[in-house]
Amino acid sequence: MPSSRLWLARPFGERSTLIFLAVLGATMALVVAANLLLAPEHPLHVSTYTVTLLGKYLCYALLAVAVDLVWGYLGILSLGHGAFFALGGYAMGMYLMRQIGDRGVYGDPLLPDFMVFLDWDSLPWYWLGFDMAGFAFVMVLLAPGLLALVFGFLAFRSRVTGVYLSIITQALTFALMLAFFRNEMGFGGNNGLTDFKELLGFDLSADATRLGLFIASGVALALGFLLCRAIVVSKLGRVCVAVRDAESRTRFLGYRVERYQQFVFVVSAMLAGVAGALYVPQVGIINPSEFSPLFSIEVVVWVALGGRATLYGAVIGALAVNYAKSVFTGVMPEAWLFALGALFVLVTVLLPQGIAGLLSRSRQQGSDDDSDTQPDTPTDTLDATPREATP
Amino acid sequence: MSFLQSLADRDRVFDFLVPEQSPVDVRHGPILYLEDVSVSFDGFKAINDLNLTIDDGELRCIIGPNGAGKTTMMDIITGKTRPDQGSVWFGSRHNLLTKNEPEIARLGIGRKFQKPTVFEALTVFENLELAMAMDKSLWPTLKARMTGEVLARIEEVLETVGLASLSRRQAGILSHGQKQWLEIGMLLMQRPRLLLVDEPVAGMTEQEMERTAELLLSLAGKHSVVVVEHDMGFVRSIARTVTVLHQGSVLAEGSMDKVASDPRVIEVYLGGDEEAA
Ligand SMILES: Nc1ncnc2c1ncn2[C@@H]1O[C@H](COP(=O)(O)OP(=O)(O)OP(=O)(O)O)[C@@H](O)[C@H]1O
Ligand SMILES: [Mg+2]
């Protein structure tokens, strides 16, 4: 059996991508159909509540893909991606707050309720523009992207790597959490932003809007996945793997490693921001708990469970763990963290390549499907992934 | 003479892929020239008044007991260590002491370290692809497509180092010897004029050593090659000129037979060593 490090290599072929997109698309179509076409009494009917729950999971899955891009392929174990997720969420939340207009409890046409409550008489400058959807959506990308850019500039130029980098990312999200807890920051303090009414004119409590958000989350996941895949199968992706496994050797070949790290880190942060932005209208609230260091660690656990450096493994991990979490917290909520910890230990010991490793192994045992495209090489589980760039 | 040279240059197939800096000028002498080089670490003279010249296309073996300063000499040539005094020239045009490591690498000096480091998760082919001399900045790399020229170059190097049949294998599953060849291949992808190879056959089997000898011999002529090696049998099988280093300076130089019969060499190296047989 190959060492897990070797296994950590392969961006998958076209085939896995198609399978992933087909499964995602088919599942979503079924959910939509079961929600719209089946009567509520029908045993297979999917309620709007469930649709929204699934939409939330899809956002988590996109966040997990973003983490896998930097961790799986570049070797940066970010324990602070929740911060980028939350920033995207806050950008969306600020737009949704301003959409409330004078329908808030205090009826102020300009100021959100919490600002009236704090006796503020004008909108802080950084809230300007958030009444425009276009501006807000750009900020969904820019806010996390800029933070990642500055963070990456400081960390990667001074060659902070490994555990130290992970700790700094934890510190980053922790510091942001403390900052956002403060009322004076102007983001609603520990209550955060909530009581949203409309998104782009659509009533957020309407079933159709919720279904639309679910579909949007799935589309965002598919696009984010394709973007990450495009990066991973490019030559740049191979440079990333080289950096992950032998950073100084890569540098010695003449690659400016810190640029690559910075680029991929920023892309990943922006994806996390998009995930957060789609998450907020579905759960109806954004508050500083999304910055919690624990949340960022949980995301890494999803990726590890699903299987690192496969992208689709991250999706599987996010969905599986969150489904387990919903079931578990329904039965005995206080035990969830222990269950998660136990799951993590079990999988790292028994399944070092995660669920995706299990899948690809059984698939290869079944049919050796990908190897037949390279008749010139011996059949080998290690290189059973053809690459269009290397004929 | 220079007219002939330019004709020869024009014959090179992949001329446009050669890095754009001014070429190494070897018309007036050797490709590498070290004069009176000394370096000391905390008062200890690791290199002591070292003089060494390597001719263009030459295959030179450097031997010497542990701590003789062989690796340190390579550090100086590649810009990793700055000498306290002396001069180091690459051709007659480039003063290496004014250049840093990446600049020296780009001038065409490739180095293989004692311990092979290849990218284990990538295939042999991809290892060579990443090592190719080309624009290594972010955007060109993101948009890079496999072109016929790159492919041809990789295939050429795969043939040279004898790894063509393994090109789609992950480098991590290669044997130790194969990794060493891959690393030499990665050097060749950068089209070096001068190759510095530190202990290539350490840990290799007999057959692997033979193939490595063939490989290095085939490189000589097209490239200048400097090999540091402990294994006497191996040195004997490839050596044309051998330089014996001892306590940071040249003790003897000449054909293998000549240095092997030099009484001083026998005393400091061959005599006191298990290699005496
Ligand atoms: N950076 C350094 N700092 C201090 N001493 C050093 C340094 N580099 C080398 N030396 C010393 O210089 C001497 C020459 O070392 P060098 O590595 O060049 O020997 P070598 O000929 O390559 O030996 P070997 O055959 O064991 O590889 C040794 O005594 C070593 O301890
Ligand atoms: Mg040495």
Side-chain angles (χ1 to χ4, degrees), chain B residues 3-271:
Chain B
F3 171 67
L4 282 180
Q5 192 123 20
S6 75
L7 268 187
D9 274 349
R10 218 164 288 173
D11 273 340
R12 291 218 308 257
V13 186
F14 300 107
D15 221 26
F16 57 96
L17 288 175
V18 175
E20 65 291 19
Q21 68 276 322
S22 56
V24 186
D25 188 350
V26 292
R27 279 170 299 171
H28 311 293
I31 190 160
L32 183 72
Y33 181 66
L34 278 77
E35 189 182 26
D36 293 334
V37 175
S38 296
V39 68
S40 51
F41 300 111
D42 312 319
F44 169 75
K45 282 217 161 194
I47 297 287
N48 191 2
D49 267 339
L50 177 69
N51 291 283
L52 184 77
T53 52
I54 308 290
D55 289 327
D56 193 26
E58 179 180 0
L59 170 63
R60 174 73 62 95
C61 288
I62 308 229
I63 60 174
N66 292 105
K70 305 179 296 288
T71 302
T72 308
M73 182 194 77
M74 292 200 171
D75 288 345
I76 290 172
I77 298 168
T78 54
K80 193 175 173 204
T81 300
R82 289 269 170 243
D84 302 332
Q85 62 173 66
S87 49
V88 183
W89 285 83
F90 187 44
S92 55
R93 199 173 289 168
H94 301 289
N95 178 359
L96 295 184
L97 298 186
T98 61
K99 300 190 160 49
N100 62 25
E101 280 183 275
E103 283 167 351
I104 292 174
R106 259 178 277 133
L107 277 179
I109 298 185
R111 176 177 188 183
K112 203 198 79 58
F113 288 91
Q114 271 178 263
K115 184 176 166 291
T117 346
V118 297
F119 303 119
E120 308 222 324
L122 298 176
T123 63
V124 169
F125 185 99
E126 290 164 341
N127 269 271
L128 294 177
E129 181 200 9
L130 291 193
M132 176 108 189
M134 60 193 331
D135 193 343
K136 291 186 173 152
S137 44
L138 189 76
W139 292 112
T141 305
L142 181 63
K143 287 184 283 183
R145 292 285 168 269
M146 185 54 60
T147 61
E149 288 86 354
V150 176
L151 194 62
R153 176 68 186 151
I154 294 176
E155 276 166 1
E156 184 189 336
V157 169
L158 279 170
E159 286 303 328
T160 309
V161 298
L163 292 175
S165 62
L166 297 171
S167 77
R168 299 202 169 269
R169 292 300 193 98
Q170 274 183 297
I173 61 167
L174 297 182
S175 73
H176 174 73
Q178 290 166 336
K179 280 183 190 162
Q180 297 274 23
W181 300 329
L182 174 55
E183 185 150 349
I184 292 174
M186 289 168 76
L187 280 183
L188 294 177
M189 289 305 293
Q190 307 182 54
R191 304 189 157 276
R193 290 295 301 270
L194 173 66
L195 277 156
L196 306 174
V197 188
D198 204 349
E199 306 206 15
V201 299
M204 278 191 183
T205 63
E206 281 297 327
Q207 289 103 315
E208 286 177 331
M209 268 159 75
E210 267 169 41
R211 285 192 62 180
T212 309
E214 281 167 27
L215 171 58
L216 291 175
L217 283 170
S218 76
L219 295 180
K222 277 176 266 169
H223 313 263
S224 311
V225 187
V226 175
V227 182
V228 164
E229 189 45 68
H230 273 296
D231 191 291
M232 275 303 140
F234 180 75
V235 171
R236 194 175 285 278
S237 71
I238 62 167
R240 293 162 190 182
T241 314
V242 179
T243 300
V244 184
L245 227 57
H246 178 53
Q247 293 179 351
S249 44
V250 175
L251 185 70
E253 198 165 278
S255 70
M256 186 68 196
D257 291 333
K258 182 179 156 226
V259 300
S261 57
D262 188 316
R264 290 169 307 165
V265 175
I266 294 173
E267 180 172 347
V268 305
Y269 189 64
L270 299 167

Side-chain angles (χ1 to χ4, degrees), chain A residues 92-129:
Chain A
M92 176 59 95
M94 287 161 80
Y95 163 72
L96 295 175
M97 282 310 260
R98 299 214 46 192
Q99 289 298 291
I100 299 174
D102 58 6
R103 287 168 289 176
V105 177
Y106 296 104
D108 191 299
L110 189 62
L111 297 188
D113 279 348
F114 75 90
M115 291 188 193
V116 181
F117 185 75
L118 289 173
D119 273 339
W120 291 11
D121 45 23
S122 64
L123 209 57
W125 61 267
Y126 46 83
W127 275 77
L128 297 175

Side-chain angles (χ1 to χ4, degrees), chain A residues 14-317:
Chain A
E14 298 269 286
R15 200 189 180 101
S16 323
T17 308
L18 289 178
I19 293 176
F20 171 79
L21 291 178
V23 170
L24 179 67
T27 314
M28 292 194 44
L30 282 178
V31 168
V32 172
N35 175 260
L36 289 180
L37 304 180
L38 298 178
E41 313 73 62
H42 194 282
L44 291 179
H45 173 77
V46 175
S47 68
T48 302
Y49 171 81
T50 309
V51 167
T52 297
L53 192 68
L54 292 175
K56 193 177 113 177
Y57 291 175
L58 290 175
C59 296
Y60 283 152
L62 179 56
L63 173 60
V65 167
V67 168
D68 194 27
L69 181 67
V70 289
W71 185 34
Y73 290 94
L74 198 51
I76 298 171
L77 175 55
S78 169
L79 296 178
H81 255 56
F84 305 123
F85 181 82
L87 282 179
Y90 267 98
M92 176 59 95
M94 287 161 80
Y95 163 72
L96 295 175
M97 282 310 260
R98 299 214 46 192
Q99 289 298 291
I100 299 174
D102 58 6
R103 287 168 289 176
V105 177
Y106 296 104
D108 191 299
L110 189 62
L111 297 188
D113 279 348
F114 75 90
M115 291 188 193
V116 181
F117 185 75
L118 289 173
D119 273 339
W120 291 11
D121 45 23
S122 64
L123 209 57
W125 61 267
Y126 46 83
W127 275 77
L128 297 175
F130 275 95
D131 50 332
M132 293 177 283
F135 177 82
F137 294 168
V138 168
M139 290 314 281
V140 162
L141 294 170
L142 273 191
L146 275 179
L147 178 67
L149 192 73
V150 172
F151 179 87
F153 184 83
L154 297 174
F156 302 135
R157 305 260 143 171
S158 41
R159 301 199 185 167
V160 181
T161 47
V163 182
Y164 298 101
L165 190 72
S166 301
I167 292 173
I168 300 178
T169 55
Q170 275 270 285
L172 172 79
T173 195
F174 187 63
L176 282 169
M177 179 175 76
L178 295 185
F180 275 73
F181 264 128
R182 294 160 53 90
N183 283 327
E184 306 88 275
M185 277 288 282
F187 296 107
N190 68 11
N191 294 325
L193 312 175
T194 187
D195 289 333
F196 310 133
K197 308 273 190 263
E198 282 174 358
L199 170 65
L200 296 170
F202 295 104
D203 179 3
L204 277 176
S205 59
D207 288 356
T209 312
R210 307 206 139 237
L211 206 57
L213 281 168
F214 166 75
I215 293 170
S217 306
V219 170
L221 174 60
L223 292 179
F225 182 90
L226 286 174
L227 174 70
C228 291
R229 182 181 181 277
I231 291 177
V232 167
V233 301
S234 72
K235 186 177 173 192
L236 186 141
R238 295 190 282 284
V239 174
C240 289
V241 171
V243 171
R244 181 191 74 192
D245 292 345
E247 183 176 329
S248 58
R249 183 75 174 88
T250 317
R251 206 170 256 129
F252 191 75
L253 283 183
Y255 293 96
R256 305 272 303 263
V257 166
E258 61 283 350
R259 302 231 170 134
Y260 287 82
Q261 292 171 318
Q262 194 146 15
F263 170 75
V264 174
F265 197 65
V266 168
V267 168
S268 167
M270 287 178 160
L271 282 178
V274 171
L278 284 164
Y279 171 86
V280 165
Q282 301 190 74
V283 297
I285 182 169
I286 172 80
N287 65 30
S289 67
E290 306 298 342
F291 283 111
S292 141
L294 206 59
F295 174 60
S296 292
I297 293 176
E298 262 192 77
V299 181
V300 168
V301 174
W302 306 340
V303 177
L305 288 178
R308 211 180 138 195
T310 57
L311 297 182
Y312 64 85
V315 175
I316 297 172

